[in-house]
Amino acid sequence: MNILVTGGMGYIGSHTCLALYKAGFTPIIYDNLSNSSIKVLEQLKIIANHTFEFVEGDINDRDKLEATLNDYNIKAVFHFASLKAVGKSTEQPLRYYDNNVSGTVTLLTAMQKSAVKQIIFSSSATVYGDPQYLPIDEKHPITATNPYGWTKVMVEQILNDWCLANEQNLAIALRYFNPAGAHPSGLLGESPTGIPNNLMPYISQTAVGQREFVNIFGNDYDTEDGTGVRDYIHIMDLAEGHVAAFSTHQKDSGSLVYNLGTGKGYTVLEIITAFSSSANVEINYKFAPRRAGDIASNFANASLAQEKLGWKAKLNIKAMTDDTWRWQSKYPNGLED
Ligand code: NAD
Ligand code: WQD
């Protein structure tokens, strides 16, 4: 079965293409390469011993989408394509709404025209805002604190309405907690452009000597050691979660939501210690003021995914830091070098 993977050259999409292929599906990658390298294709080929189909295109290009959906006889879409930098989204809100929200409307319009009725969407735990309770289950109210977050809330609403309008449609929004780690081969991973916003890539670039020290944003939170707590989930587990969601609900319809997390939170200091042990280097850090918009803690109640999808995260923090280090030390400057 052919599945269109928008944003399939990116960090999460590329790992999910491997999981889809391993499960017997045929992913067709659709990406405009705005935040990824064409070299990802070579890495995928080495890992899977398979040449993945790739269409260079934008989700705002409805004609190209329609042609791709028809030419490849696509049955379902895994929709990863989006811009994801929280800070940039507050500087360039229209660009974010255009890419993430208008782009999704264009994609759904093309799907409707081509009679493709199933979509798996990359949502985010960011839709829970500042948690009212922990661990966070799917019933927790949703909101946002920045335009990026609002694009996720809005797309979830659009998917709801799209399913209400046609009882055959299926939309599954997967709310990721904090994706981390890399492919265990070290051949595929996350390589952000510029200064990383996220903790794990910042630590790994510090470990490899590209950054002097990690700024820890706040050490006065109400947590075990005062630093922020997050639910880090290994990219391989996350990729498998997508396959589990689609395989379980392939014959269903309606609008569904699942948390993908481990259920366990780690502090920033715990992540630095784990990484230091994986890389066998000391990682310098300094305490800095809290980052605007940050929350003290969040971690998932992931029992719905376990109960309904039979999916559970298997890999621990050591696997995340070991695999990230393998990737970072093999490709210190990402694949472009
Ligand atoms: P990424 O930037 O590595 O991958 C996104 C891919 O989409 C890139 O290859 C980019 O070139 C492509 N893309 C962007 N806009 C496009 C467009 N208009 N047309 C075609 N392709 C386009 O990001 P990622 O970390 O792999 O994230 C994948 C999805 O998961 C995104 O929707 C993101 O918002 C969501 N998400 C990510 C995280 C995280 O921490 N990484 C957490 C929660 C949710
Ligand atoms: C984790 C912890 C920071 C960097 C973000 C988005 C969210 C989602 C995932 C897409 C926090 C601390 C970080 C640093 C630090 N993305 N930190 N020094 O903020 O939980 O979530 O990415 O949907 O929408 O907001 O992840 O990795 O940025 O931060 O101390 O240099 O590490 O304060 O406690 P976050 P993160």
Side-chain angles (χ1 to χ4, degrees):
M1 180 194 289
N2 288 355
I3 293 178
L4 190 77
V5 183
T6 76
M9 298 291 271
Y11 174 47
I12 306 171
S14 59
H15 288 80
T16 305
C17 283
L18 290 171
L20 277 169
Y21 180 67
K22 201 171 143 202
F25 297 103
T26 305
I28 313 295
I29 301 174
Y30 187 94
D31 198 302
N32 67 1
L33 299 176
S34 58
N35 196 37
S36 48
S37 163
I38 188 71
K39 293 189 178 159
V40 165
L41 270 187
E42 293 164 33
Q43 306 301 97
L44 290 174
K45 186 176 179 184
I46 298 168
I47 296 169
N49 195 21
H50 166 78
T51 303
F52 289 80
E53 292 281 344
F54 169 58
V55 177
E56 186 171 345
D58 196 291
I59 52 165
N60 265 311
D61 184 343
R62 191 175 136 192
D63 290 342
K64 192 164 214 169
L65 275 172
E66 266 181 49
T68 309
L69 293 169
N70 295 333
D71 291 353
Y72 287 95
N73 191 22
I74 298 293
K75 295 292 176 218
V77 175
F78 280 40
H79 179 32
F80 296 93
S82 98
L83 299 172
K84 62 165 182 176
V86 172
K88 278 235 173 73
S89 79
T90 59
E91 291 159 23
Q92 307 171 349
L94 299 182
R95 185 169 162 240
Y96 271 68
Y97 288 119
D98 184 42
N99 197 82
N100 298 3
V101 182
S102 303
T104 302
V105 172
T106 305
L107 171 64
L108 291 169
T109 308
M111 286 169 63
Q112 199 149 292
K113 198 87 198 297
S114 308
V116 179
K117 298 178 190 324
Q118 304 190 313
I119 187 167
I120 310 294
F121 171 63
S122 300
S123 191
S124 167
T126 195
V127 301
Y128 295 123
D130 198 350
Q132 293 172 12
Y133 57 85
L134 289 168
I136 308 174
D137 60 23
E138 290 82 353
K139 294 195 184 85
H140 188 286
I142 66 172
T143 182
T145 53
N146 55 70
Y148 168 75
W150 281 117
T151 70
K152 295 296 178 193
V153 173
M154 286 177 191
V155 170
E156 286 202 11
Q157 181 62 46
I158 290 167
L159 293 175
N160 266 322
D161 293 337
W162 181 70
C163 288
L164 283 174
N166 185 331
E167 59 183 21
Q168 289 175 352
N169 288 347
L170 170 74
I172 309 176
L174 300 176
R175 294 177 180 158
Y176 315 153
F177 279 68
N178 288 56
H183 192 271
S185 63
L187 292 170
L188 205 55
E190 186 179 15
S191 50
T193 42
I195 301 169
N197 297 309
N198 292 119
L199 181 67
M200 196 67 95
Y202 203 103
I203 294 177
S204 65
Q205 291 192 4
T206 307
V208 85
Q210 287 173 353
R211 318 232 161 250
E212 218 181 315
F213 55 87
V214 179
N215 282 299
I216 298 183
F217 300 138
N219 63 343
D220 57 353
Y221 284 110
D222 183 16
T223 62
E224 211 170 298
D225 59 27
T227 67
V229 168
R230 296 291 183 275
D231 183 342
Y232 298 91
I233 171 167
H234 198 295
I235 188 74
M236 300 301 287
D237 280 329
L238 190 63
E240 278 177 16
H242 289 73
V243 178
F246 181 60
S247 302
T248 304
H249 291 296
Q250 246 185 93
K251 300 215 159 52
D252 298 336
S253 59
S255 177
L256 305 167
V257 170
Y258 288 101
N259 282 343
L260 293 183
T262 67
K264 184 163 168 41
Y266 287 90
T267 68
V268 175
L269 281 169
E270 284 171 329
I271 299 295
I272 291 178
T273 304
F275 208 101
S276 191
S277 146
S278 294
N280 200 20
V281 293
E282 197 170 323
I283 294 165
N284 297 322
Y285 61 83
K286 286 187 185 166
F287 291 119
R290 290 181 179 191
R291 185 171 63 178
D294 266 357
I295 54 177
S297 300
N298 82 339
F299 49 92
N301 177 334
S303 55
L304 188 67
Q306 185 171 0
E307 193 187 308
K308 302 270 186 206
L309 311 178
W311 170 91
K312 188 179 187 305
K314 296 187 203 97
L315 299 165
N316 60 16
I317 281 293
K318 179 170 159 39
M320 294 181 224
T321 54
D322 280 358
D323 294 339
T324 304
W325 178 241
R326 200 170 296 112
W327 153 254
Q328 182 74 55
S329 45
K330 213 187 265 268
Y331 298 100
N333 301 308
L335 294 174
E336 285 306 332
D337 249 24

